[in-house]
Amino acid sequence: PNQNNPPLNKTTTMTQTEFYQAQENGSVDIGNSYGGTGVGENTTLTRDLFHQHGDIQVMQSWETPYMHQLAVALVAGVAKNAAVLMEAHGKITLLEIGFGLGLSATKMQEELQELVKEHGREKVEHHIIELNEEVFKKLLEFQAQEEKLGRATVVPHQGSWQDVVEDLKKANTTYSGILYDPFPTCKEEQHFHQLMFISDQSAGALLQKNGTFVYWNLTSLGVLLAENNADWKQVWEVAQKPYLGGREFEVLGKKYTIAGLTNSEYSLFEVTEDMKAKRAEQKCNYYGGDIHNHALVPVCVRK
C-alpha cells in the first residue's frame, strides 16, 4: 500500500506492533494505538522498499505485478468509455491516491500511451496525491521524466488525500478514473477506508459518470479472506459489493453511503511463486501468509 495519511499525533518511536502485527495466517491486525504512518518521519525509501518508523512496511516491490494489474484494469475501464468521457469533459483525467514506489503510476503511464497518441498528452492527465515528503520528491522527478518521454501529463498534489480531495471538490474537479491505494488512518478504518474514500460524504463526487474506480486494500482483504474460509466470492458478496451498491455503513460515529457504483465486479490476480519468494525475502507482514495466493482486482463503473 501507499502511505497517504495525516501526520501522527504521537512520537515517532513507536514499535511495529503498536502499528500492526502480522498473524499466523498472514493477515494483519491493526493496533489500537495506530494513527497513520505520517508525513515522512524516519522514512526508508529504496527501489524495493518504502518503510517508516524503523520497519513499518508501507510498500514493497514484490507487489509490482499486482500493482501493474490494477493500473491495467483502471486504464482499460477508462478506455472502454473514452469516447463518452471525452465528449462530456474534453479530456481524460485519472487520479491516483498515493505514489509510493511508483509501481502503479509507471504502468499507468505506459497504458495511457494509446490515449495520448489519439488525443495528445495535453488531453490526458494523470493526477497523483502524495503526502510523504521524501516520496513527493520522487514524484516530482517522475513528472519531469514523463514529460521528457512525451507521455500523459503528470500533475502532482502534495498533502493528505483528505485535504486535497476537499480542495478538488471546491474547484469542481472530476476524474475519468481513480486508483486508490493508501493505508487506513486508524484501526476502525481497516476494512472501510477505501469505501469511505469513494463515498458520497468524501470523494464520490470526483468520479465522473461512466468513470472507473479501482482500489487496493490488502491490509483488510487478507483478514477478510481468512475469516471467510479463503472464499473470495464470499468476501466480495458480503464485505464489498453491498456497500458499493449503496448499503449504509458507519465508522467512528459517521455514516457513509456510496451512490452509482452498482456496476461493480472483480477478478483475481494470482500471486506467483516468484512473487511469493520475493515477499518472503522482503519479510512482508501485511499480506504474507500461505493463504494469500491471489489478490482482488475490483473494477467499479459509475452509472
Side-chain angles (χ1 to χ4, degrees), residues 12-63:
T12 60
T13 57
M14 299 172 69
T15 64
Q16 178 174 298
T17 54
E18 287 179 283
F19 281 84
Y20 58 75
Q21 187 169 9
Q23 304 302 303
E24 289 185 5
N25 60 18
S27 65
V28 62
D29 179 34
I30 299 292
N32 288 321
S33 57
Y34 175 85
T37 47
V39 298
E41 304 94 332
N42 305 325
T43 296
T44 299
L45 187 62
T46 70
R47 182 174 180 173
D48 292 310
L49 303 174
F50 173 20
H51 292 183
Q52 285 192 261
H53 309 291
D55 194 31
I56 307 304
Q57 301 175 356
V58 181
M59 176 171 266
Q60 299 178 328
S61 63
W62 73 265
E63 304 172 41

Side-chain angles (χ1 to χ4, degrees), residues 81-291:
N81 293 311
V84 174
L85 293 164
M86 281 293 297
E87 182 178 356
H89 304 281
K91 59 183 177 180
I92 298 295
T93 52
L94 302 188
L95 175 63
E96 185 171 5
I97 314 299
F99 184 65
L101 294 175
L103 306 180
S104 50
T106 300
K107 187 63 174 177
M108 205 178 300
Q109 287 293 105
E110 295 173 1
E111 294 297 308
L112 284 169
Q113 272 300 89
E114 288 303 313
L115 289 170
V116 170
K117 289 177 183 176
E118 183 175 355
H119 302 290
R121 70 181 302 267
E122 72 283 354
K123 295 288 187 180
V124 184
E125 297 178 358
H126 180 182
H127 294 235
I128 305 173
I129 301 173
E130 179 55 55
L131 174 63
N132 183 279
E133 294 171 1
E134 293 302 312
V135 176
F136 190 77
K137 292 175 185 176
K138 294 293 184 182
L139 173 52
L140 293 178
E141 294 173 6
F142 179 74
Q143 177 193 31
Q145 167 195 303
E146 294 301 298
E147 184 175 2
K148 287 181 180 179
L149 291 172
R151 300 207 285 210
T153 302
V154 175
V155 182
H157 300 267
Q158 186 171 18
S160 70
W161 70 254
Q162 293 88 342
D163 291 340
V164 175
V165 162
E166 289 306 310
D167 290 340
L168 293 171
K169 287 163 64 176
K170 289 175 184 175
N172 294 317
T173 306
T174 59
Y175 293 92
S176 317
I178 301 175
L179 177 60
Y180 176 87
D181 176 30
F183 255 55
T185 60
C186 63
K187 183 180 181 69
E188 290 81 2
E189 292 181 359
Q190 181 173 4
H191 300 302
F192 291 99
H193 64 95
Q194 78 281 8
L195 302 170
M196 293 165 64
F197 168 82
I198 202 62
S199 72
D200 302 340
Q201 291 71 31
S202 184
L206 299 184
L207 185 63
Q208 297 164 0
K209 182 179 180 181
N210 297 304
T212 300
F213 175 57
V214 173
Y215 64 85
W216 184 112
N217 189 354
L218 293 187
T219 51
S220 165
L221 293 168
V223 175
L224 295 175
L225 186 64
E227 291 178 349
N228 287 275
N229 301 312
D231 186 337
W232 277 111
K233 183 178 180 181
Q234 186 168 315
V235 169
W236 178 255
E237 295 291 340
V238 172
Q240 306 295 305
K241 187 176 180 180
Y243 303 110
L244 293 167
R247 178 185 293 176
E248 184 179 82
F249 59 99
E250 184 175 327
V251 180
L252 294 174
K254 183 174 180 178
K255 294 180 179 180
Y256 297 87
T257 53
I258 299 170
L261 288 184
T262 52
N263 187 12
S264 299
E265 57 187 27
Y266 75 95
S267 60
L268 292 178
F269 174 85
E270 182 179 359
V271 180
T272 65
E273 293 304 315
D274 286 345
M275 290 176 68
K276 290 177 184 178
K278 196 166 188 178
R279 183 172 68 182
E281 178 186 327
Q282 295 177 348
K283 299 179 181 177
C284 173
N285 61 18
Y286 52 85
Y287 202 75
D290 293 337
I291 192 175

